[in-house]
């Protein structure tokens, strides 16, 4: 059996180094290296003391969406700009407008305004296109048509002959901290189509900034973990203990408070969760069960469980990296798509709920958790498929864009011994066992 053990060990080391490469330091997400949220200011009209601009927030993250309570965008004006009016969003504070005497009061005189989105049912007299989604932005790979938000603002108080300057220090809460925005810079003017695409309009001037997420900046505790089981071994590998925090010593407590973001002052965004007490303390657990081994296919059951007592996850998504996704894959109860794998050898699949059926991952109640699940049927690539060495287990899983804690390979459910009475003594024997395994399980 030495051969199997050493194979297992080398696989274990490989997996550990793969995982460590990206959780120790603050590095970008290797599964979505081009992801960002781009903020564009298009000046479409000059007015005597300022301009009219359309601001668009576009989410280019493949599987990171902006959830309730929605985005908040802030910046600092370079000069004495004032927001005279706004449509499709609102500034959270009007600020000190007392120097504006004989005119309609401006919308906001703050030096550093913070803008929030209107709800879809808002009674705004003119709603610009793409506005009013309550601050929600869908992930790009899931619903591009809902992945952006726009609003319009009229900027004044720039004295005569406005020599306009882009705002500085753009900040994006989406909804919590974690995003860092570049300098706002001049770029080629945006071009829009009009009259059903027959006419092109061009902005007078366009400023752009891209904001990128880092879980290190967000300073967020892990939110999910992975557990594993198989049909060939009764052992269930549970989530690593303390994956998302450690439970209270008193094992009889049913509900635990889990601290979320460690920046409580951040815009009064309260992210403490009340979760069911478990050894892993994660609000979300993802379970991968290898169900069946057919001749040409194999089947997995994927279950996503919500341990929060008060929080539903709307429009949840799960990313799974596994070499088996290179073959045709059918998920029965989730919607799914393949993502570009950016040179990784293992394919990456994205799963999300079906609208009105299971796109809402409900909160936990007294003694049961909220859960959604699907069976996934994968075709076998007969050259690579095997049940040995945990090959059929996932390499990496994300929930809503956050990396989930995987169990260590030495706890994986392994193929059972063929028979304890068969004591392998020489290489020929090993070969026999190997061939038996191959026949039985591939
Ligand atoms: C932002 O994302 C878009 C789409 O993936 C990409 O074209 C663009 O280069 C990205 N911007 C930056 C600065 O990375
Ligand atoms: C802003 O307004 C103040 C007072 O009205 C004026 O003194 C100052 O020069 C203005 N700053 C700019 C950059 O226009
Ligand atoms: C508001 O602004 C005016 C003039 O710009 C200033 O005199 C007044 O002190 C300000 N009020 C407050 C509360 O800051
Ligand atoms: C912009 O942000 C930097 C870093 O937070 C800060 O030092 C600087 O004072 C800010 N500038 C303005 C004008 O607020
Ligand atoms: C969660 O969803 C259920 C069912 O749609 C709803 O009744 C409940 O109010 C939601 N809870 C929260 C905290 O959003
Ligand atoms: C599944 O996703 C595709 C692509 O985004 C979409 O067209 C389709 O409507 C979705 N199906 C369901 C049931 O949500
Ligand atoms: C396989 O056999 C070895 C040696 O007898 C034993 O230590 C190990 O626990 C067995 N593994 C399983 C999964 O039964």
């Amino acid at each position: 059996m030495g051969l199997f053990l050493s194979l297992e060990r080398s696989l274990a080391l490989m997996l550990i180094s793969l995982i460590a490469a990206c959780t120790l330091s603050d590095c970008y997400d290797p599964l979505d290296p081009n992801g960002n949220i781009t903020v564009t200011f298009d000046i479409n009209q000059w007015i005597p003391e300022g301009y009219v601009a359309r601001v668009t927030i576009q989410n280019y993250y493949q599987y990171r969406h902006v959830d309730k309570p929605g985005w908040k965008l802030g910046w600092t004006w370079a000069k004495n700009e004032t927001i005279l009016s706004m449509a499709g969003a609102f500034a959270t504070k009007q600020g000190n407008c007392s120097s504006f005497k004989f005119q309609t009061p401006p919308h906001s005189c703050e030096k550093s305004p913070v803008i929030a989105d209107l709800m879809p049912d808002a009674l705004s007299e003119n709603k610009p296109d793409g506005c009013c989604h309550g601050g929600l932005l869908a992930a790009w790979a899931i619903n591009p048509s809902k992945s952006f938000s726009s609003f319009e603002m009229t900027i004044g108080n720039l004295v005569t002959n406005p020599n306009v300057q882009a705002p500085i220090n753009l900040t994006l809460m989406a909804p919590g901290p974690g995003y860092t925005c570049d300098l706002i810079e001049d770029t080629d003017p945006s071009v829009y189509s009009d009259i059903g695409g027959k006419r092109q309009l061009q902005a007078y001037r366009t400023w752009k900034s891209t904001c990128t997420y880092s879980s290190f900046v967000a300073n967020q505790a892990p939110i999910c973990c992975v557990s594993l089981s198989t049909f060939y071994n009764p052992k269930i590998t549970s989530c690593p203990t303390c994956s998302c925090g450690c439970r209270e010593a008193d094992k009889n407590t049913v509900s635990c408070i889990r601290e979320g973001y460690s920046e409580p002052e951040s815009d009064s965004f309260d992210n403490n969760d009340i979760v069911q007490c478990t050894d892993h303390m994660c609000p979300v657990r993802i379970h991968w069960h290898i169900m069946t081994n057919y001749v040409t296919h194999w089947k997995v059951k994927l279950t996503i469980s919500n341990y929060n007592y008060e929080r539903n996850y709307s429009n949840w998504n799960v990313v799974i990296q596994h070499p088996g996704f290179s073959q045709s894959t059918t998920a029965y109860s989730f919607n799914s798509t393949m993502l570009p794998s950016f040179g990784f050898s293992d394919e990456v699949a994205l799963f999300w709920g079906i609208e009105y059926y299971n796109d809402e991952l409900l909160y936990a109640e007294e003694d049961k958790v909220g859960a959604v699940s699907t069976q996934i049927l994968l075709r076998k690539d007969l050259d690579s498929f095997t049940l040995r060495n945990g090959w059929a287990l996932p390499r990496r899983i994300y929930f809503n864009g956050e990396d989930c804690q995987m169990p260590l390979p030495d706890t994986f459910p392994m193929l059972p011994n063929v028979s304890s009475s068969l004591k392998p003594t020489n290489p020929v024997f090993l070969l026999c066992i190997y061939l038996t395994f191959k026949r039985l399980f591939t």
Side-chain angles (χ1 to χ4, degrees):
M1 296 308 283
L3 177 66
F4 295 121
L5 281 178
S6 70
L7 266 174
E8 274 173 32
R9 196 161 299 139
S10 62
L11 184 90
L13 283 175
M14 221 175 70
L15 275 174
I16 290 173
S17 53
L18 201 82
I19 292 163
C22 226
T23 48
L24 288 181
S25 60
D26 166 35
C27 64
Y28 74 105
D29 182 353
L31 300 188
D32 189 8
N34 298 326
N36 65 67
I37 294 185
T38 299
V39 181
T40 310
F41 294 73
D42 287 315
I43 298 183
N44 293 318
Q45 191 188 338
W46 299 120
I47 58 168
E49 286 187 10
Y51 55 88
V52 179
R54 181 181 172 87
V55 182
T56 304
I57 306 172
Q58 170 68 59
N59 181 13
Y60 284 118
Y61 278 103
Q62 302 273 355
Y63 44 80
R64 174 172 285 287
H65 65 300
V66 179
D67 207 354
K68 281 178 250 178
W71 53 261
K72 280 197 178 149
L73 189 68
W75 60 77
T76 301
W77 291 116
K79 296 182 170 182
N80 283 340
E81 290 93 335
T82 309
I83 304 175
L84 299 180
S85 66
M86 188 170 270
F90 62 96
T92 55
K93 288 184 187 160
Q94 186 180 28
N96 181 358
C97 291
S98 63
S99 58
F100 291 82
K101 293 202 175 74
F102 309 107
Q103 46 180 293
T104 32
H107 183 79
S108 175
C109 304
E110 285 278 298
K111 179 80 179 158
S112 302
V114 172
I115 315 299
D117 200 3
L118 289 167
M119 298 310 282
D121 54 5
L123 295 167
S124 176
E125 53 276 27
N126 62 333
K127 283 192 181 181
D129 287 350
C131 88
C132 317
H133 302 303
L136 309 186
L137 300 178
W140 177 251
I142 293 178
N143 195 346
S145 68
K146 287 196 178 158
S147 67
F148 69 95
S149 202
S150 291
F151 60 89
E152 271 172 14
M153 55 186 189
T154 305
I155 305 304
N157 200 32
L158 278 170
V159 222
T160 41
N161 181 23
N163 172 17
V164 299
Q165 213 171 312
I168 47 178
N169 282 4
L170 193 72
T171 56
L172 177 68
M173 301 293 256
Y179 286 87
T180 311
C181 301
D182 293 344
L183 272 181
I184 304 178
E185 284 179 332
D186 258 298
T187 62
D188 291 339
S190 303
V191 173
Y192 316 91
S193 65
D194 194 18
I195 320 186
K198 292 185 191 136
R199 176 177 147 79
Q200 284 197 335
L201 300 178
Q202 188 170 330
Y204 293 179
R205 202 160 162 189
T206 296
W207 296 317
K208 246 183 205 161
S209 168
T210 50
C211 308
T212 47
Y213 180 82
S214 147
S215 53
F216 182 77
V217 173
N219 205 0
Q220 194 190 19
I223 64 160
C224 60
C225 62
V226 178
S227 56
L228 306 165
S229 61
T230 61
F231 68 85
Y232 54 75
N233 189 332
K235 171 179 173 173
I236 296 175
T237 301
S238 41
C239 282
T241 306
C242 295
S243 286
C244 305
C246 294
R247 84 183 284 172
E248 290 160 27
D250 178 5
K251 294 258 176 181
N252 294 321
T253 332
V254 182
S255 64
C256 288
I257 295 180
R258 200 191 74 95
E259 280 176 32
Y261 301 115
S262 59
E263 268 181 285
E265 86 283 0
S266 60
D267 231 329
S268 73
F269 181 70
D270 181 9
N271 200 48
N272 280 354
D273 293 323
I274 302 176
V275 298
Q276 214 173 79
C277 298
T278 52
D279 288 335
H280 55 76
M281 281 291 286
C282 290
V284 173
R285 186 190 73 163
I286 298 180
H287 187 79
W288 176 278
H289 174 68
I290 304 174
M291 281 181 85
T292 324
N293 183 24
Y294 302 112
V295 179
T296 55
H297 289 78
W298 57 297
K299 197 152 81 181
V300 167
K301 181 165 184 190
L302 182 70
T303 307
I304 306 163
S305 309
N306 183 2
Y307 288 80
N308 284 281
Y309 278 121
E310 290 177 344
R311 175 157 185 206
N312 297 330
Y313 290 94
S314 309
N315 302 314
W316 57 267
N317 70 66
V318 165
V319 167
I320 302 178
Q321 191 178 17
H322 193 287
F325 292 135
S326 63
Q327 304 299 306
S328 95
T329 300
T330 313
Y332 292 107
S333 316
F334 293 169
N335 218 340
S336 66
T337 187
M338 298 303 297
L339 294 176
S341 62
F342 297 106
F344 278 100
S345 51
D346 301 333
E347 302 298 320
V348 182
L350 171 63
F351 299 91
W352 68 96
I354 293 173
E355 209 176 354
Y356 305 121
Y357 175 54
N358 59 9
D359 61 340
E360 185 98 352
L361 175 54
L362 293 181
Y363 58 80
E365 286 172 59
E366 278 304 296
D367 48 356
K368 70 176 200 333
V369 294
V372 291
S373 70
T374 188
Q375 295 187 6
I376 305 172
L377 186 69
L378 296 103
R379 188 196 291 278
K380 281 183 192 171
D381 171 3
L382 294 173
D383 293 334
S384 58
F385 179 85
T386 171
L387 290 173
R388 279 182 295 117
N389 296 318
W391 182 91
L393 301 172
R395 305 296 183 268
R396 194 197 303 243
I397 296 190
Y398 288 175
F399 176 78
N400 280 354
E402 299 289 336
D403 203 354
C404 299
Q405 302 287 306
M406 287 287 295
L408 286 178
D410 62 356
T411 64
F412 283 0
M414 284 296 163
L415 275 180
N417 295 334
V418 177
S419 159
S420 44
S421 63
L422 287 178
K423 290 244 158 58
T425 46
N426 58 48
V428 178
F429 222 121
L430 271 182
L431 189 69
C432 288
I433 293 176
Y434 173 73
L435 291 174
T436 318
F437 267 87
K438 218 174 143 72
R439 219 179 36 246
L440 277 178
F441 293 109
T442 61

